Amino acid sequence: MMSRSYTNLLDLASGNFPAMGQPREKKRLPRVMTVPGVISELDDDQANSVASDAPSSAIQDRIIIVANQLPVKAKRRPDNKGWSFSWDDDSLLLQLKDGLPEEMEVLYVGSLKVDVDRVEQDDVSQLLLDKFKCVPAFLPSDILTKFYHGFCKQHLWPLFHYMLPFSASHGGRFDRSLWEAYVAANKIFSQRVIEVINPEDDYVWIHDYHLMVLPTFLRRRFNRLRMGFFLHSPFPSSEIYRTLPVREEIMKALLNSDLIGFHTYDYARHFLSCCSRMLGLEYQSKRGYIGVEYYGRTIGIKIMPVGIHMGQIKSVLSLADKEWRVAELKQQFEGKTVLLGVDDMDVFKGIDLKLLAMEQMLKQHPKWQGRAVLVQIANPSRGRGKDLEDIQAEIQASCKRINETFGHTGYEPIVLIDRPVSLCERFAYYTIAECVVVTAVRDGMNLTPYEYIVGRQGVSESESSSESSGPKKSMLVVSEFIGCSPSLSGAIRVNPWNTESTAEAMNEAISMSDAEKQLRHEKHYRYVSSHDVAFWSRSFFQDLERTCKDHFRRICWGIGLSFGFRVVALDPNFRKLSIDHIVSVYLRSKNRAILLDYDGTVMPQTSHNKTPSAEVISIINALSGDTKNAVFVVSGRGRESLGKWFSPCKKLGIAAEHGFFMRWSANDEWELCGQNSEFGWKQIAEPVMKLYTESTDGSSIETKESALVWHHRDADPGFGSSQAKEMLDHLESVLANEPVAVKSGQFIVEVKPQGVSKGMVAEKIFTTMSEKGKQADFVLCIGDDRSDEEMFEIISNAISSGILSSSTSVFACTVGQKPSKARYYLDDPAEVLNMLEALAEASDPESFTDTESEGSL
């Protein structure tokens, strides 16, 4: 349910941003398509979703890559008349093209790093589309500031890196106007995508935390759009993420994607934990793929760390400028052992902790004084704020203190380079460094270790000089809190907060034998060179194709408002039950079987009073009083409560406890349908359940005549689920020789006699009717949960086995629009009662019998 603080998000989702005023209407980008196809003009104010049902004439697939910034560089012309653009070869968005199908066209949507005047925007848009296949999203300055420097950098970036806003001076309080700007910016990005998309043939790949609500805007327009999202930052644990006031809005928006990608299993695990704890969604793993079921759609979860671009790096390694700089650096650090750090100036990169560890190493191992040098390249910061200023001051102070303490003429243990460093110069430093040290306290991926490994490997032997053609070696000291750490098994992993252990790791790395360094380097290079950026993008796109393969086969429609919007996807044969149709078939039939679940079907799940109303009793009495009908309530409830509630319905059959107890009418005795009526197994199962109940707060045991049920709906979702799995194994082990079945369901673990299910009830009813010469020619079976699916499944088996005729009219109906083995649905118990009332009214009065007469078939 959406937070009450954000009830006007429908305004935001519709493009109304009261906090910032309405942006001036500007000219649309021309609908220029680079593949042939039929494009419908989309009015931005159109309320209804575009179902994308019209076939397209496109001859090839295309992918639209959407990110905060386009992979282009822009600069003003020398005459100040217009702009010149060039590709940004360092951009991941440009590099990932290498892994996509060769024939696939790539279109980019994003913002520019420069401010383009309004009067120039149309010309710039057309130029970028024609020359670079890029579609720029121009954000008004007030939205841009609040969107990027506000919500992204003040709220999402710190939170995703585990920094909570404990006070107004530390992190700041949640500012709703910043959230509105974030929504507004995502809305503008969506408009640019909508202007150029061909929804039947295009894939959309959205990148990073700046655009996490974009999937909802696009899904509202195109229900069947094939769309993936990749998060390049960490995803925090659920305890951290749940502090975000707009947590559900963002989660539900992400779930409008078809595939969601993360760098590591930890990040994916945290996301899945949020799905479970906040939305009650569980994931399933099947043949190596992880999926989350969400309103009939399966959202894929992709775990794949990004790699580096091998081609670009090899080009840099062969540059003459790099060789010249290497020679210069070797002369500068002659006789020294160089440790290298390459980080952005950021509060999460741990540069200050690295300096403290270097200081500690020089203290603990004096042999390195005068010999070991830490070169720290600090790239310019992309953020701003007091926290960053404090870190910069601390780094400067630490450098000064360490150099004054341990330095002397001709030797400085810390060399701080706080200026932009070219790729060529960076690789020159990699070449001369014995070890790279990464002590980030949180980082989504961090490709510095990958670059260093390839830099130390150098160019191929045929191209390398004789001096550098010997065995290659490298060493890494990396934080255990960065995304690349799990893939670097030969690195020394450290907790950067523990400066003593980091200092020891640095000493171990540079003291290690050359043979050991060589072995570790070779292992790392094999991985890094094979798992490059092309491998990553190819793997993601293949999974996106697989996840979306059934999109155009299923029936899809959108429901919900604002960020509660989602798409329901159902099998094309699944449709709403027509009351007129079922009544007409009902009137033509002579032997009818009507099987009704109780809770959630004729009685709303939310109702506290579970006693059937006078209306329900009247309808069921009318149906069961017709001699052409065999009417049964098939429920998991006990026979005592069901018998009492339906005592006025003398002709009604009841199957209690999922069919263990069954009677054909009020005048009949209860039959035991289980294979065994001995319950000695309860003395074994109950102590086990009590053990888990005592250790699982919020759990309880329900004792039935034929079964024991352990409930954990009110327990902690993660712990309750874990305990349920453990209990399932435990019970299956101790009850292996007992005639019982141990099953798990939604928030339950149940032990019940073997051979007891609603499906077996349905089969027994059909068989008995057939044996008495009254083979059913009309079957109505209605239920709302997993146990009722067994009834739906048995119907098709009964037809194939001859218990039911192939001409039998079957109406298997689930309650609610959700995936089911049933072919029909009704929305809620109110619609079920309306349908049953229509059948009762259609019954032939002459077919009614005295309700006091014998009721069995």
Side-chain angles (χ1 to χ4, degrees):
M1 183 176 179
M2 191 167 57
S3 169
R4 284 178 296 177
S5 302
Y6 300 96
T7 52
N8 67 339
L9 283 177
L10 181 58
D11 289 336
L12 298 179
S14 301
N16 302 319
F17 312 111
M20 290 158 286
Q22 293 286 354
R24 183 171 66 88
E25 182 70 22
K26 64 185 182 67
K27 185 180 176 183
R28 282 175 172 272
L29 182 71
R31 297 298 301 275
V32 177
M33 297 301 296
T34 49
V35 294
V38 178
I39 307 169
S40 300
E41 184 63 37
L42 299 175
D43 181 1
D44 197 48
D45 296 323
Q46 180 180 333
N48 297 326
S49 297
V50 177
S52 311
D53 287 325
S56 168
S57 60
I59 58 173
Q60 65 180 30
D61 284 337
R62 181 177 69 168
I63 189 166
I64 299 176
I65 295 174
V66 194
N68 181 41
Q69 292 184 337
L70 291 170
V72 295
K73 297 177 181 178
K75 63 179 181 180
R76 201 74 175 155
R77 292 186 184 277
D79 58 4
N80 207 34
K81 294 180 179 178
W83 296 87
S84 62
F85 299 95
S86 60
W87 287 116
D88 181 359
D89 294 330
D90 295 336
S91 173
L92 174 69
L93 305 179
L94 189 63
Q95 296 169 357
L96 65 77
K97 288 175 64 175
D98 290 0
L100 299 176
E102 190 173 339
E103 70 281 2
M104 174 164 274
E105 185 181 5
V106 179
L107 190 69
Y108 295 99
V109 176
S111 63
L112 291 167
K113 297 178 183 178
V114 295
D115 185 23
V116 178
D117 192 84
R118 279 183 180 275
V119 297
E120 300 177 302
Q121 288 179 4
D122 287 339
D123 292 337
V124 167
S125 295
Q126 195 63 56
L127 173 65
L128 286 172
L129 182 64
D130 294 342
K131 301 291 186 183
F132 297 89
K133 295 182 182 176
C134 288
V135 180
F138 300 108
L139 303 180
S141 58
D142 55 342
I143 292 180
L144 176 62
T145 300
K146 290 185 174 183
F147 157 66
Y148 184 75
H149 294 292
F151 195 75
C152 289
K153 288 299 182 181
Q154 289 182 29
H155 289 312
L156 291 181
W157 179 256
L159 188 77
F160 280 23
H161 289 76
Y162 288 74
M163 180 184 285
L164 291 173
F166 288 114
S167 65
S169 60
H170 182 79
R173 298 301 186 199
F174 182 80
D175 185 343
R176 186 179 173 206
S177 70
L178 302 185
W179 163 243
E180 291 175 348
Y182 183 81
V183 175
N186 277 249
K187 173 76 171 179
I188 293 171
F189 277 90
S190 75
Q191 291 167 345
R192 305 307 273 174
V193 174
I194 289 168
E195 286 174 354
V196 295
I197 196 169
N198 187 352
E200 290 295 317
D201 299 288
D202 291 348
Y203 290 87
V204 176
W205 187 357
I206 303 168
H207 289 264
D208 223 4
Y209 65 98
H210 314 90
L211 302 173
M212 288 197 294
V213 299
L214 179 58
T216 288
F217 286 114
L218 295 179
R219 188 66 71 191
R220 286 179 68 213
R221 290 306 187 104
F222 311 111
N223 288 345
R224 295 196 183 106
L225 182 63
R226 298 173 292 186
M227 178 165 48
F229 179 93
F230 197 94
L231 183 67
H232 293 274
S233 78
F235 194 93
S237 68
S238 63
E239 287 77 11
I240 298 293
Y241 179 79
R242 279 154 49 207
T243 64
L244 186 64
V246 288
R247 59 190 190 179
E248 287 191 13
E249 288 86 336
I250 290 176
M251 285 292 294
K252 290 176 179 177
L254 287 176
L255 289 170
N256 275 317
S257 304
D258 296 300
L259 181 67
I260 305 173
F262 302 91
H263 284 307
T264 71
Y265 171 69
D266 273 351
Y267 304 160
R269 178 169 56 87
H270 294 156
F271 176 79
L272 293 171
S273 176
C274 289
C275 287
S276 173
R277 291 173 178 272
M278 292 166 48
L279 305 176
L281 305 175
E282 298 299 329
Y283 74 91
Q284 290 184 332
S285 182
K286 186 176 182 181
R287 295 185 178 179
Y289 298 110
I290 300 173
V292 176
E293 288 292 327
Y294 188 58
Y295 290 94
R297 296 170 52 241
T298 299
I299 293 91
I301 304 298
K302 177 71 174 176
I303 302 168
M304 175 61 68
V306 72
I308 57 176
H309 192 276
M310 293 294 293
Q312 180 196 30
I313 290 175
K314 286 181 178 179
S315 298
V316 171
L317 291 174
S318 60
L319 290 175
D321 285 352
K322 179 253 181 186
E323 294 299 326
W324 171 81
R325 186 64 174 133
V326 167
E328 194 177 61
L329 292 174
K330 283 182 176 179
Q331 184 179 357
Q332 179 182 348
F333 296 106
E334 187 177 3
K336 305 293 190 296
T337 298
V338 177
L339 297 96
L340 178 65
V342 180
D343 305 277
D344 293 339
M345 182 61 76
D346 189 285
V347 295
F348 302 110
K349 300 301 182 184
I351 298 175
D352 50 333
L353 298 175
K354 190 186 306 180
L355 297 176
L356 294 176
M358 181 67 179
E359 182 179 32
Q360 188 69 23
M361 187 188 81
L362 295 175
K363 287 178 181 178
Q364 291 178 351
H365 302 279
K367 65 180 180 178
W368 292 115
Q369 294 179 18
R371 295 171 53 201
V373 176
L374 173 63
V375 177
Q376 176 61 54
I377 297 174
N379 300 316
S381 170
R382 286 177 284 182
R384 58 194 184 194
K386 185 176 183 302
D387 290 335
L388 182 60
E389 293 170 2
D390 292 343
I391 286 291
Q392 288 175 314
E394 183 181 344
I395 289 170
Q396 295 288 350
S398 295
C399 289
K400 183 179 179 182
R401 182 185 69 252
I402 296 170
N403 284 337
E404 287 178 352
T405 304
F406 299 101
H408 53 73
T409 304
Y411 171 68
E412 281 190 338
I414 306 293
V415 177
L416 179 65
I417 304 172
D418 56 351
R419 58 172 172 80
V421 173
S422 68
L423 191 62
C424 183
E425 185 176 5
R426 190 162 81 231
F427 273 88
Y429 277 103
Y430 288 148
T431 303
I432 59 106
E434 280 295 309
C435 175
V436 155
V437 184
V438 182
T439 53
V441 295
R442 289 284 168 192
D443 209 348
M445 187 60 193
N446 199 311
L447 294 174
T448 296
Y450 286 14
E451 291 182 347
Y452 169 64
I453 290 162
V454 178
R456 292 288 285 181
Q457 180 72 15
V459 293
S460 64
E461 300 227 352
S462 61
E463 302 168 16
S464 61
S465 64
S466 57
E467 181 184 354
S468 62
S469 61
K472 314 295 183 181
K473 61 185 190 298
S474 63
M475 270 309 297
L476 292 165
V477 174
V478 300
S479 165
E480 63 189 64
F481 303 119
I482 64 176
C484 67
S485 176
S487 60
L488 297 170
S489 57
I492 302 175
R493 299 188 182 100
V494 296
N495 173 4
W497 301 102
N498 188 337
T499 54
E500 289 83 3
S501 68
T502 305
E504 285 301 322
M506 292 163 68
N507 172 64
E508 180 186 350
I510 57 180
S511 302
M512 193 174 288
S513 69
D514 285 352
E516 181 66 19
K517 290 179 182 178
Q518 182 183 345
L519 285 173
R520 296 186 184 219
H521 170 81
E522 289 172 353
K523 183 178 184 180
H524 287 159
Y525 183 74
R526 281 195 300 272
Y527 176 83
V528 172
S529 60
S530 60
H531 291 70
D532 61 356
V533 67
F535 179 88
W536 168 76
S537 62
R538 184 182 309 114
S539 179
F540 185 90
F541 181 71
Q542 287 172 350
D543 274 18
L544 182 59
E545 281 187 307
R546 178 186 54 80
T547 305
C548 300
K549 69 181 187 305
D550 291 333
H551 265 34
F552 300 106
R553 188 186 66 82
R554 313 194 76 183
I555 298 173
C556 299
W557 66 90
I559 58 174
L561 300 175
S562 187
F563 289 107
F565 177 85
R566 64 272 188 196
V567 167
V568 177
L570 298 170
D571 189 275
N573 294 323
F574 188 68
R575 56 188 181 273
K576 190 163 187 174
L577 182 59
S578 165
I579 294 180
D580 290 341
H581 175 57
I582 193 173
V583 168
S584 67
V585 176
Y586 180 86
L587 289 171
R588 293 195 303 268
S589 57
K590 296 181 179 179
N591 296 305
R592 311 171 187 127
I594 301 174
L595 283 62
L596 308 173
D597 176 42
Y598 185 67
D599 291 281
T601 301
V602 295
M603 173 60 64
Q605 290 280 16
T606 54
S607 176
H608 292 289
N609 181 8
K610 297 297 184 180
T611 304
S613 64
E615 180 189 14
V616 171
I617 295 296
S618 173
I619 292 170
I620 291 181
N621 245 335
L623 288 171
S624 59
D626 189 331
T627 56
K628 294 180 180 180
N629 296 343
V631 183
F632 273 81
V633 169
V634 186
S635 171
R637 287 189 173 273
R639 58 177 173 172
E640 184 177 345
S641 56
L642 290 173
K644 179 180 177 182
W645 290 342
F646 289 103
S647 57
C649 305
K650 303 301 181 182
K651 292 289 187 177
L652 175 68
I654 296 177
E657 299 193 16
H658 298 297
F660 185 83
F661 299 105
M662 184 174 173
R663 75 180 187 193
W664 292 84
S665 73
N667 295 328
D668 292 327
E669 296 295 323
W670 289 98
E671 301 175 16
L672 295 183
C673 299
Q675 298 173 359
N676 197 309
S677 58
E678 295 294 327
F679 299 107
W681 54 267
K682 285 189 176 182
Q683 297 175 9
I684 303 172
E686 194 167 19
V688 174
M689 286 189 170
K690 285 183 177 178
L691 178 68
Y692 285 87
T693 303
E694 290 170 4
S695 60
T696 311
D697 191 34
S699 65
S700 61
I701 301 172
E702 178 188 0
T703 303
K704 298 181 179 180
E705 285 187 73
S706 67
L708 290 174
V709 186
W710 187 72
H711 297 267
H712 60 94
R713 181 181 293 274
D714 297 327
D716 175 88
F719 185 56
S721 177
S722 174
Q723 289 287 79
K725 291 175 184 175
E726 188 70 28
M727 179 192 287
L728 190 70
D729 289 340
H730 194 161
L731 288 171
E732 284 178 341
S733 175
V734 299
L735 297 172
N737 297 320
E738 299 294 330
V740 295
V742 185
K743 293 188 176 182
S744 63
Q746 192 168 17
F747 301 111
I748 67 164
V749 174
E750 183 174 22
V751 184
K752 61 182 181 180
Q754 289 176 347
V756 174
S757 71
K758 289 186 177 182
M760 298 303 292
V761 172
E763 186 175 30
K764 183 168 184 176
I765 293 170
F766 300 151
T767 301
T768 304
M769 291 179 68
S770 181
E771 289 173 351
K772 291 184 177 291
K774 294 185 176 182
Q775 187 181 52
D777 56 1
F778 173 96
V779 172
L780 171 61
C781 182
I782 313 179
D784 75 307
D785 64 17
R786 191 180 302 175
S787 64
D788 300 306
E789 295 295 317
E790 296 170 341
M791 288 197 293
F792 304 148
E793 187 174 15
I794 208 70
I795 291 173
S796 59
N797 296 336
I799 293 174
S800 60
S801 64
I803 299 173
L804 292 177
S805 169
S806 58
S807 60
T808 300
S809 299
V810 175
F811 296 90
C813 178
T814 189
V815 181
Q817 300 169 11
K818 58 181 182 288
S820 173
K821 293 184 176 71
R823 288 188 59 185
Y824 299 94
Y825 74 89
L826 290 171
D827 286 325
D828 50 41
E831 286 197 354
V832 173
L833 290 180
N834 287 339
M835 184 271 295
L836 293 177
E837 185 176 23
L839 295 183
E841 290 174 353
S843 294
D844 184 359
E846 295 182 3
S847 297
F848 281 63
T849 59
D850 182 1
T851 57
E852 297 299 325
S853 65
E854 182 63 38
S856 56
L857 286 171

